[in-house]
């Protein structure tokens, strides 16, 4: 066993089980260039899906998975994220005076969801660099990373299932989803092997490979569970693709020290930084809402019918 494998085994043997994870890091310091001009003066993580900012869905998913200590990595132009999770005394007072109790409870519940802390990344030097800036807050514990622009359908329970694999193995777990060969060059890509217990072990991982060089069609999605050993490997990871410190390169280095597992899921993920996925998320979430679903469905059916009719004239 290597020393970091020993450490992981020790973590696992504490009381016979791994210590429950409570901390989650949400990187939200990126520039959001794929969503310009909307992201020129506002963070993409604050883009609303119907009436709720993207990052609130992510924090809600963390809270549902039992993660109550949230560290958001922010940067320049991201103040509105901090304001959103803070108390808003003026607004609360006005709502109280106007007798708008439902709205008041809604506003209050946001600041009471979880404990939120912030670290600024300074220069957005890549996702690996963003995660490394969480080191002091996390300390020597395993933790979760959830990308601030990736929304998961709560029914898919992706983070919860990943935490179960970590509790079983004591090691890191990376969310993976099959994508088409045309799409693989936009993602980290992993080659895996499944062991006798049905656990998926990552054997190779590369950042944004060319289609013809991709070792598989399994793409890395924005959910991770990490042992603290990741910080040691990230600290030694040189800038990679695009001159940025890539989280994928840090994971590849971690794999040379200890096992890293995969959790393969098939549905329920939206990349809000991608315009088409943003539209898909908006429509699907609106359709699933009790208050908006029925009239919105009617509107969509009419719209499609009118569109079809116009093509046949
Ligand atoms: P993306 O690569 O999707 O974000 O990173 P980006 O760089 O903002 O997007 P584009 O490509 O320019 O449109 C995934 C998540 O990681 C964060 C982003 O804010 C996003 O939530 N991130 C990325 C950081 O926190 N720091 C970075 O240096 C890079």
């Amino acid at each position: 066993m290597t020393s970091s494998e020993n450490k992981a085994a020790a973590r696992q043997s504490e009381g016979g089980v791994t210590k429950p994870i409570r901390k989650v890091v949400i990187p939200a310091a990126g520039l959001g260039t794929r969503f310009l001009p909307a992201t020129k003066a506002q963070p993409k993580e604050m883009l609303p899906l119907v009436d709720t900012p993207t990052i609130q869905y992510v924090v809600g998913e963390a809270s549902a998975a039992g993660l109550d200590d949230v560290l958001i990595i922010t940067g320049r132009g991201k103040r509105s994220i901090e304001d959103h999770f803070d108390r808003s005394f003026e607004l609360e007072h006005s709502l109280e005076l106007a007798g708008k109790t439902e709205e008041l409870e809604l506003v209050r519940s946001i600041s009471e969801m979880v404990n939120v802390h912030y670290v600024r990344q300074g220069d957005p030097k890549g996702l690996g660099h963003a995660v490394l800036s969480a080191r002091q807050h996390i300390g020597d514990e395993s933790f979760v990373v959830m990308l601030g622009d990736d929304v998961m359908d709560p029914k898919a329970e992706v983070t919860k299932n990943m935490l179960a694999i970590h509790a079983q193995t004591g090691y890191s777990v990376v969310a993976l989803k099959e994508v088409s060969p045309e799409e693989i060059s936009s993602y980290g890509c992993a080659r895996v092997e499944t062991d006798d217990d049905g656990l998926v072990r990552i054997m190779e991982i590369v950042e944004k490979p060319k289609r013809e060089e991709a070792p598989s069609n399994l793409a890395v999605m924005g959910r991770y569970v990490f042992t603290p050993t990741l910080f040691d490997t990230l600290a030694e990871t040189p800038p990679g693709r695009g001159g940025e410190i890539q989280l994928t390169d840090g994971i590849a280095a971690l794999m040379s020290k200890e096992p890293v597992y995969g959790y393969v899921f098939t549905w329920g993920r939206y990349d809000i930084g991608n315009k088409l996925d943003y539209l898909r998320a908006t429509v699907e979430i609106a359709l699933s809402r009790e208050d908006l679903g029925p009239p919105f469905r009617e509107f969509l059916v009419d719209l499609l019918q009118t569109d079809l009719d116009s093509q046949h004239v």
Side-chain angles (χ1 to χ4, degrees):
M1 262 198 204
T2 65
S3 71
S4 91
E5 277 176 330
N6 271 331
K7 266 200 221 162
R11 269 196 303 274
Q12 218 183 338
S13 66
E14 255 175 64
V17 283
T18 45
K19 253 171 68 187
I21 296 183
R22 288 185 34 245
K23 292 183 181 172
V24 53
V25 178
I26 304 183
L31 297 176
T33 50
R34 286 173 296 153
F35 223 112
L36 282 167
T39 47
K40 185 178 171 211
Q42 65 169 330
K44 79 171 152 185
E45 296 79 7
M46 285 299 289
L47 290 173
L49 294 169
V50 185
D51 53 8
T52 303
T54 296
I55 196 162
Q56 192 180 321
Y57 288 94
V58 180
V59 170
E61 184 192 337
S63 166
L67 307 164
D68 59 1
D69 182 315
V70 175
L71 178 71
I72 301 182
I73 314 294
T74 65
R76 262 184 299 281
K78 304 277 182 170
R79 259 292 300 275
S80 58
I81 297 179
E82 294 180 43
D83 289 342
H84 185 71
F85 290 106
D86 198 1
R87 293 290 299 269
S88 174
F89 292 106
E90 298 83 353
L91 178 61
E92 286 177 31
H93 184 62
S94 305
L95 292 172
E96 207 163 4
L97 284 182
K100 297 193 169 177
T101 24
E102 224 175 277
E103 289 84 348
L104 179 64
E105 271 170 33
L106 180 71
V107 165
R108 278 205 182 131
S109 67
I110 300 167
S111 54
E112 287 164 3
M113 278 171 95
V114 281
N115 283 320
V116 190
H117 311 267
Y118 300 92
V119 164
R120 284 174 77 100
Q121 194 188 354
D123 260 353
K125 287 192 252 172
L127 187 53
H129 182 252
V131 173
L132 186 57
S133 60
R135 184 173 203 165
Q136 204 179 354
H137 181 87
I138 300 294
D140 195 28
E141 297 175 31
S142 291
F143 63 104
V144 170
V145 172
M146 301 168 90
L147 298 193
D149 62 346
D150 256 25
V151 169
M152 300 283 178
D153 187 317
K155 292 195 281 306
E157 297 193 323
V158 172
T159 302
K160 209 173 134 197
N161 294 333
M162 294 172 71
L163 285 167
I165 298 174
H166 172 76
Q168 187 184 349
T169 62
Y171 289 113
S172 301
V173 188
V174 175
L176 301 170
K177 183 172 168 292
E178 214 173 280
V179 299
S180 67
E182 299 77 49
E183 289 172 298
I184 198 71
S185 55
S186 308
Y187 293 93
C189 171
R191 181 172 63 79
V192 301
E193 278 176 14
T194 306
D195 72 15
D196 296 341
D197 301 326
L199 286 168
V200 172
R201 175 113 178 240
I202 300 186
M203 310 309 290
E204 183 185 354
I205 193 162
V206 280
E207 179 65 12
K208 299 194 171 103
K210 284 189 188 139
R211 179 185 169 161
E212 55 284 8
E213 288 166 13
S216 83
N217 57 352
L218 280 177
V220 175
M221 296 293 157
R223 297 292 181 269
Y224 315 78
V225 181
F226 287 121
T227 67
T229 314
L230 178 81
F231 292 126
D232 298 336
T233 62
L234 276 179
E236 289 163 6
T237 302
R241 233 191 120 86
E244 295 187 341
I245 298 178
Q246 297 291 349
L247 182 59
T248 308
D249 296 342
I251 299 172
L254 180 65
M255 282 162 48
S256 66
K257 297 187 177 221
E258 57 183 49
V260 174
Y261 290 90
Y263 170 68
V264 182
F265 70 104
T266 53
W267 64 279
R269 179 253 182 185
Y270 308 101
D271 172 10
I272 302 310
N274 171 299
K275 290 175 193 174
L276 192 58
D277 238 19
Y278 174 78
L279 288 173
R280 209 164 57 82
T282 304
V283 171
E284 290 187 13
I285 289 172
L287 284 174
S288 72
R289 290 252 305 235
E290 263 175 38
D291 55 343
L292 293 167
F296 187 51
R297 185 177 307 272
E298 228 170 88
F299 161 76
L300 286 179
V301 169
D302 278 356
L303 186 76
L304 265 178
Q305 195 54 56
T306 316
D307 192 46
L308 283 175
D309 291 348
S310 72
Q311 285 178 29
H312 287 110
V313 271

